[in-house]
């Protein structure tokens, strides 16, 4: 019996071991087979992403694109993300889109995603929060640094442009210790307006106008403008003036003679009042030449302020006689100021100053509603036939806030570091050549005399959305913020929009 047991064990153990080895081999084979099948299915399912990123992978291998050098391809290659020094990146990705019914659709399309590095705070040099907050908005303005860099290599006497040179040096070092450069910009601004840099709290909007106006004046006085560059050449010509400067058109029409007269004026910022109510008669046009591209009603508070800024004013012709025919009529004369050419960067100042019951200037702390994206067609003249509703969408990217009373308080900023970028729209703005305003004046007057009916270009356009990145920046303090925290802030003072 014992002998039989030993024989059975000698047979059973080798057989068991052999079967175990076979089962392990079979398991290993099917495991490898299953991974291969899964990988093939995954590649097939993500074929659109593979195709969508193919151009970026090729660009990453051969370096920056020659067609658009302001963007640098950024992709995960081999599971490791390539770090780039350039702040802007060209991407193709899936975008959530809300259709008119509110339902979300997902589509994959080629588009530009403009990304900045997270903000670095500015040291307070002594009540300079008004200065720091405006600078933060400029830090995150598309192509602002690029435009100054182009001047550095194209202007022979760039070293003599003290303000322009100091601002560029600050932009180049803003991500490291830049206190000295910050002080240099403040000193250069003080040379233009000595109220700044005295250690007292000043107005952030006045500082911004002084800074931008000072740079543009240096360029104009030095006669150093960027040469227009052919877009087809693959080089982006970035005019600093075109970046911020828009054109107003003021239209005069007269009942008696039906003459039309226009004037043009440049602007770099818009200052709007806080309007509780607007006159609904602003849509009743005595002359269709006063019409805007879109006749939609203003919905947000800043749109109401823009409606007040661009409303129709009427006078007796005896008080405002026609300068075309020099005939003093007995009817009405009408005047309306509209935007003829909006800039790619639209800066809107909310006028919060008001007189109280004691005839003293105080701060109007009323909360205003301002959209993240809105359309400027409601405030642009039909006289500019090159504009359309689709080209006039603007997206909020920075807000300067003033908290506290008129005589003191604190300034800080919100900035968005991630936005979509429509290259074609920006190039249309940035390549704009200087206008012959006298010739334009004659052409527009003739156009408005001949045409009295215009097609209303109203209608909401579908806008792509991406996940943005908002930050709160107060001097040297920086932290992330939500878009809900930014939109309709009760103390918003300066709004920065860019063409979307």
């Amino acid at each position: 019996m014992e002998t039989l047991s030993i024989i059975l064990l000698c047979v059973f153990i080798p057989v068991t071991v052999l079967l175990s080895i076979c089962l392990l081999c079979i398991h290993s084979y099917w495991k490898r087979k299953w991974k291969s099948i899964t990988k093939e299915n995954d590649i097939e399912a993500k074929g659109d992403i593979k195709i969508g990123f193919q151009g970026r992978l090729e660009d990453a291998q051969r370096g920056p694109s020659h067609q658009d050098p302001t963007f640098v391809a950024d992709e995960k290659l081999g599971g490791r993300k390539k770090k780039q020094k350039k702040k802007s990146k060209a991407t193709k990705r899936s975008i959530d889109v809300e259709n008119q019914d509110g339902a979300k659709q997902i589509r994959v399309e080629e588009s530009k995603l403009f990304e900045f590095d997270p903000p670095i705070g500015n040291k307070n040099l002594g009540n300079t929060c008004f200065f720091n907050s405006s600078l933060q908005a400029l830090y995150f303005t598309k192509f602002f640094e690029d435009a100054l860099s182009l001047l550095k290599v194209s202007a022979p006497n760039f070293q003599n442009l003290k303000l322009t040179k100091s601002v560029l040096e600050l932009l180049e070092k803003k991500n490291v210790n830049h206190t000295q450069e910050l002080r240099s910009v403040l000193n250069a601004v003080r040379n233009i307006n000595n109220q700044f840099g005295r250690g007292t709290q000043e107005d952030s909007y006045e500082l911004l106008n002084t800074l931008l106006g000072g740079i543009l004046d240096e360029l104009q006085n030095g006669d150093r403008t960027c040469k227009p560059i052919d877009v087809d050449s693959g080089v982006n010509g970035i005019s600093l003036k075109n970046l911020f400067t828009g054109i107003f058109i003021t239209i005069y029409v007269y009942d008696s003679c039906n003459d039309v007269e226009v004037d043009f004026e440049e602007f770099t910022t818009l200052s709007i009042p806080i309007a509780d109510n607007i006159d609904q008669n602003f849509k009743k046009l005595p002359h269709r030449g006063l019409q805007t591209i879109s006749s939609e009603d203003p919905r947000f508070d800043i749109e109401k302020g823009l409606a007040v800024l661009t409303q129709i004013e009427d006078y007796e012709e005896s008080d405002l006689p026609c300068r075309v025919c020099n005939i003093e009529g007995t009817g009405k004369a009408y005047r309306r100021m509209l935007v003829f050419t909006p800039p790619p960067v639209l800066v809107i100042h909310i006028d919060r100053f008001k007189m109280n019951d004691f005839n003293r200037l105080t701060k109007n702390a009323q909360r205003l509603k301002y959209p993240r994206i809105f359309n400027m067609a409601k405030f642009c003249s039909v006289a500019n036939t090159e504009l359309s509703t689709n080209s006039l969408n603007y997206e909020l990217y920075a807000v300067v806030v003033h908290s506290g009373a008129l005589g003191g308080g604190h300034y800080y900023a919100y900035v968005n570091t991630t936005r979509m970028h429509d290259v074609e729209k920006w190039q249309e703005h940035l390549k704009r050549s200087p206008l012959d305003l006298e010739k334009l004046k004659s052409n527009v007057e003739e156009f408005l005399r001949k045409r009295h009916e215009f097609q209303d270009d109203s209608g909401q356009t579908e806008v792509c959305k991406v996940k943005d990145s908002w930050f709160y920046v107060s001097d040297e303090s920086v932290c992330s913020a939500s878009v809900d925290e930014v939109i309709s802030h009760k103390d918003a003072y300066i709004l920065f929009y860019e063409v979307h």
Side-chain angles (χ1 to χ4, degrees):
M1 189 66 181
E2 292 179 356
T3 303
L4 182 61
S5 299
I6 292 172
I7 294 173
L8 290 174
L9 286 173
C10 292
V11 173
F12 179 78
I13 291 174
V15 170
T16 303
V17 172
L18 182 61
L19 287 174
S20 300
I21 293 173
C22 291
L23 289 174
L24 287 173
C25 292
I26 293 171
H27 178 266
S28 176
Y29 169 80
W30 283 109
K31 185 175 181 181
R32 291 195 303 271
K33 185 70 173 177
W34 176 252
K35 284 185 176 181
S36 177
I37 295 173
T38 303
K39 184 176 181 180
E40 292 176 0
N41 291 339
D42 186 60
I43 292 175
E44 182 179 353
K46 296 181 179 179
D48 56 341
I49 297 178
K50 178 181 178 182
I51 295 172
F53 281 99
Q54 187 63 41
R56 291 175 55 207
L57 293 173
E58 294 173 357
D59 288 342
Q61 293 169 358
R62 64 172 177 262
S65 170
H66 291 287
Q67 294 184 346
D68 193 353
T70 61
F71 294 96
V72 177
D74 179 22
E75 182 51 77
K76 293 182 178 179
L77 300 175
R80 297 177 62 186
K81 190 172 183 179
K82 294 182 66 179
K83 294 184 179 180
Q84 304 287 351
K85 293 182 180 180
K86 197 72 174 177
K87 299 180 290 300
S88 53
K89 304 169 185 177
T91 64
K92 299 177 184 179
R93 60 175 58 193
S94 298
I95 302 174
D96 290 340
V97 180
E98 291 186 4
N99 60 20
Q100 293 180 353
D101 298 327
K104 285 190 174 181
Q105 300 175 342
I106 296 181
R107 68 170 181 260
V108 177
E109 64 177 23
E110 182 175 356
S111 56
K112 296 285 186 180
L113 185 69
F114 209 96
E115 293 185 283
F116 291 86
D117 294 329
I120 303 294
N122 293 330
K123 183 178 179 61
N124 193 307
L125 305 178
N127 288 322
T128 57
C129 58
F130 71 95
F131 174 62
N132 292 339
S133 56
S134 289
L135 283 178
Q136 288 294 341
L138 294 178
Y139 290 164
F140 295 93
T141 296
K142 291 177 185 176
F143 304 122
F144 181 55
E145 181 177 350
D146 301 76
L148 295 180
S149 297
L150 185 61
L151 286 170
K152 183 177 181 179
V153 297
S154 63
N157 67 338
F158 180 80
Q159 297 299 321
N160 297 331
L161 308 178
K162 295 182 179 180
L163 177 58
T164 307
K165 178 176 176 289
S166 64
V167 172
L168 178 58
E169 290 175 347
L170 172 61
L171 291 169
E172 291 174 339
K173 296 184 179 180
K174 66 180 180 295
N175 290 330
V176 294
N177 185 2
H178 56 272
T179 302
Q180 183 57 46
E181 288 74 20
L182 197 66
R183 196 179 303 276
S184 296
V185 174
L186 187 59
N187 290 336
V189 171
R190 187 179 183 182
N191 289 334
I192 300 173
N193 187 337
N194 61 12
Q195 78 179 65
F196 300 114
R198 301 179 302 180
T200 57
Q201 180 70 285
E202 302 295 342
D203 184 75
S204 187
Y205 177 61
E206 189 172 351
L207 177 279
L208 181 67
N209 279 329
T210 303
L211 180 64
L212 292 179
I215 293 176
L216 294 177
D217 285 345
E218 280 187 343
L219 302 181
Q220 182 177 2
N221 295 336
D223 194 24
R224 305 299 179 187
T225 56
C226 296
K227 296 180 180 179
I229 300 175
D230 185 5
V231 177
D232 295 332
S233 68
V235 181
N236 283 331
I238 304 170
S239 167
L240 186 68
K241 182 176 181 180
N242 285 357
L243 195 61
F244 291 98
T245 304
I247 298 176
F248 278 131
I249 180 173
T250 303
I251 306 169
Y252 301 86
V253 297
Y254 305 90
D255 277 345
S256 299
C257 58
N258 203 35
D259 275 332
V260 179
E261 182 186 2
V262 301
D263 287 324
F264 293 97
E265 181 183 2
E266 294 182 340
F267 68 90
T268 53
T269 61
L270 296 178
S271 184
I272 63 171
I274 296 177
D276 295 325
N277 298 298
I278 57 176
D279 186 358
Q280 292 302 317
N281 291 326
F282 77 96
K283 295 180 66 174
K284 296 180 180 179
L285 301 174
H287 187 285
R288 303 302 286 181
L290 301 174
Q291 183 177 325
T292 54
I293 295 175
S294 170
S295 60
E296 289 184 343
D297 292 330
R299 293 189 300 155
F300 298 92
D301 290 326
I302 68 160
E303 292 183 329
K304 293 178 181 178
L306 287 167
V308 172
L309 184 68
T310 58
Q311 66 185 352
I312 298 174
E313 301 171 329
D314 61 87
Y315 305 87
E316 298 297 328
E317 286 188 340
S318 57
D319 296 328
L320 190 65
C322 176
R323 292 182 295 181
V324 178
C325 62
N326 295 319
I327 297 176
E328 185 175 316
T330 58
K332 290 282 188 180
Y334 302 92
R335 175 186 181 273
R336 189 176 198 184
M337 184 179 71
L338 294 169
V339 175
F340 185 80
T341 304
V345 176
L346 183 67
V347 181
I348 299 177
H349 164 247
I350 301 171
D351 186 357
R352 291 193 172 276
F353 302 103
K354 68 175 183 178
M355 303 300 293
N356 62 13
D357 296 336
F358 302 98
N359 203 29
R360 289 185 176 180
L361 197 63
T362 60
K363 177 183 174 180
N364 188 340
Q366 179 177 332
R367 181 191 295 269
L368 296 185
K369 291 183 179 179
Y370 49 91
R372 179 181 170 189
I373 296 176
F374 83 108
N375 195 284
M376 276 291 289
K378 307 180 187 73
F379 317 105
C380 294
S381 171
V382 293
N384 191 342
T385 56
E386 296 182 0
L387 298 179
S388 67
T389 299
N390 292 336
S391 66
L392 295 172
N393 286 319
Y394 280 80
E395 180 179 12
L396 185 74
Y397 74 92
V399 180
V400 171
V401 173
H402 176 265
S403 62
L406 185 65
H410 180 60
Y411 287 96
Y412 53 92
Y414 290 98
V415 294
N416 180 16
T417 62
T418 307
R419 290 105 72 180
M420 290 303 297
H421 178 68
D422 190 316
V423 179
E424 183 177 353
K425 286 183 182 178
W426 276 80
Q427 286 185 344
E428 287 177 0
H429 285 279
L430 295 176
K431 72 180 182 181
R432 195 172 67 231
S433 57
L435 296 175
D436 184 343
L437 295 184
E438 285 301 318
K439 182 178 180 180
L440 182 64
K441 170 180 165 66
S442 176
N443 291 341
V444 168
E445 287 175 348
E446 184 67 21
F447 171 77
L448 293 178
R449 288 191 195 104
K450 289 183 177 180
R451 297 185 59 184
H452 294 265
E453 295 295 333
F454 301 93
Q455 181 179 359
D456 181 16
D457 195 12
S458 301
Q460 293 294 327
T461 56
E462 193 175 73
V463 179
C464 297
K465 296 181 179 180
V466 296
K467 184 177 180 181
D468 49 13
S469 301
W470 284 94
F471 290 87
Y472 161 89
V473 190
S474 175
D475 291 332
E476 294 182 273
S477 177
V478 178
C479 63
S480 60
S482 66
V483 66
D484 293 334
E485 181 182 348
V486 177
I487 294 296
S488 301
H489 194 288
K490 68 182 183 67
D491 288 315
Y493 187 52
I494 311 175
L495 308 175
F496 293 78
Y497 285 88
E498 63 190 13
V499 69
H500 183 76

